[in-house]
Amino acid sequence: MWCSSGLIDSEGLKADALGARKDLHLNAFDVIRKVFAPDISGSQGSVATFNESLDLFFQDYNLIPLFVEENYLNVRVHNTHDDKKILQLMSQAASDIATADIISSTIRSSRTGSWSLLPVQGVFSTVSPGRTLRGSLPGGPGGVSFPSWFGKNSTQSRINRTTSELAAHLRLATHCGSSNPLTLLLDYATPISELITRDIDSAIQFLINYQITREDVDSIMELTTWPNRPNRMLSVDSKVSYQHTY
């Protein structure tokens, strides 16, 4: 923060106060609205300079790009009402965000760790999309969406852990054929789910032969359930008997 010693006139006080604003930390919900309103998000409501827009990225360089990616499609573009032009602007913003993701991966790579590229990521992830769209987000508490990446990343981590455990259980029975989690998903998960949802006796014998635990069965069902492909266990009439038998 700023401080002053001795006498100071009103102009000097105003200049120091404006300089102190750089130390203020905004929450992500306030930042994202400023990102897409560069014409009024500068000091005292003026047009934001390039550095002021980049400073929004550095408010939280891990979180702000995720907010931009989650909310840019909801921006109400002000400088045009032509649907085709709006789609072109959205496409340009999406391209910049994708480029920023590549830069982010490079920055955080264990082999490169090029943290000097962080301002470049800020330009593509925050500054450019905001200045391309130049609009406003819907008002109200629900106007800004929290990044869904966190939930999806948690689900992905859980699936990776599940497939690794399944691969370890099936390694001996498949002669290491399923030791790779990706191979397990592509080559083994669906056939296994089909085999264990047939008649109970053959399914139980199959589970014993392949050393599949009851928890593994639930994991396999989860891995092979998609929006247009329901859980196969729902079609098994004797599921209760199956649970009690195995």
Side-chain angles (χ1 to χ4, degrees):
M1 296 297 290
W2 62 277
C3 62
S4 175
S5 59
L7 298 176
I8 186 171
D9 57 17
S10 59
E11 292 299 324
L13 185 63
K14 184 183 296 184
D16 286 346
L18 290 176
R21 294 183 63 180
K22 295 182 179 180
D23 297 324
L24 297 178
H25 184 76
L26 303 174
N27 67 61
F29 291 91
D30 292 332
V31 169
I32 190 62
R33 292 189 182 278
K34 288 179 173 290
V35 166
F36 292 111
D39 295 328
I40 59 173
S41 61
S43 59
Q44 294 185 328
S46 61
V47 177
T49 65
F50 177 85
N51 286 336
E52 286 175 332
S53 295
L54 190 59
D55 284 343
L56 295 175
F57 165 75
F58 282 105
Q59 289 282 335
D60 190 330
Y61 57 79
N62 289 313
L63 187 59
I64 299 305
L66 297 177
F67 266 86
V68 173
E69 184 174 353
E70 186 72 24
N71 290 278
Y72 80 98
L73 291 176
N74 296 327
V75 174
R76 299 166 179 169
V77 182
H78 287 170
N79 57 2
T80 181
H81 297 287
D82 181 21
D83 291 342
K84 183 177 180 180
K85 179 63 175 178
I86 291 175
L87 284 176
Q88 290 174 343
L89 294 175
M90 292 290 183
S91 176
Q92 179 60 49
S95 178
D96 291 336
I97 291 171
T99 301
D101 282 343
I102 296 174
I103 297 172
S104 177
S105 298
T106 302
I107 291 173
R108 290 161 175 79
S109 172
S110 59
R111 291 181 297 176
T112 57
S114 304
W115 288 95
S116 60
L117 293 175
L118 204 58
V120 181
Q121 182 195 356
V123 171
F124 282 98
S125 68
T126 305
V127 178
S128 183
R131 290 174 177 254
T132 297
L133 297 179
R134 290 181 181 271
S136 60
L137 289 166
V144 176
S145 300
F146 191 79
S148 59
W149 178 88
F150 290 100
K152 294 177 180 178
N153 184 63
S154 176
T155 300
Q156 182 64 46
S157 298
R158 179 169 52 81
I159 290 176
N160 289 340
R161 184 175 63 254
T162 298
T163 52
S164 296
E165 292 174 354
L166 283 173
H169 292 168
L170 292 170
R171 185 174 291 115
L172 290 177
T174 60
H175 304 288
C176 295
S178 65
S179 58
N180 186 324
L182 182 59
T183 302
L184 172 66
L185 283 174
L186 296 178
D187 298 335
Y188 287 89
T190 298
I192 290 175
S193 68
E194 293 174 350
L195 287 170
I196 62 180
T197 51
R198 294 178 181 175
D199 63 284
I200 298 299
D201 294 334
S202 61
I204 295 297
Q205 188 59 47
F206 176 82
L207 296 177
I208 294 173
N209 292 340
Y210 278 79
Q211 304 174 15
I212 299 175
T213 66
R214 184 67 187 86
E215 291 74 18
D216 291 339
V217 173
D218 294 334
S219 298
I220 291 171
M221 291 298 105
E222 180 183 10
L223 293 174
T224 56
T225 300
W226 302 90
N228 59 346
R229 183 189 298 175
N231 191 325
R232 288 184 172 86
M233 277 296 185
L234 299 177
S235 62
V236 178
D237 296 333
S238 54
K239 182 179 179 182
V240 175
S241 175
Y242 171 81
Q243 290 176 329
H244 290 172
T245 303
Y246 188 61

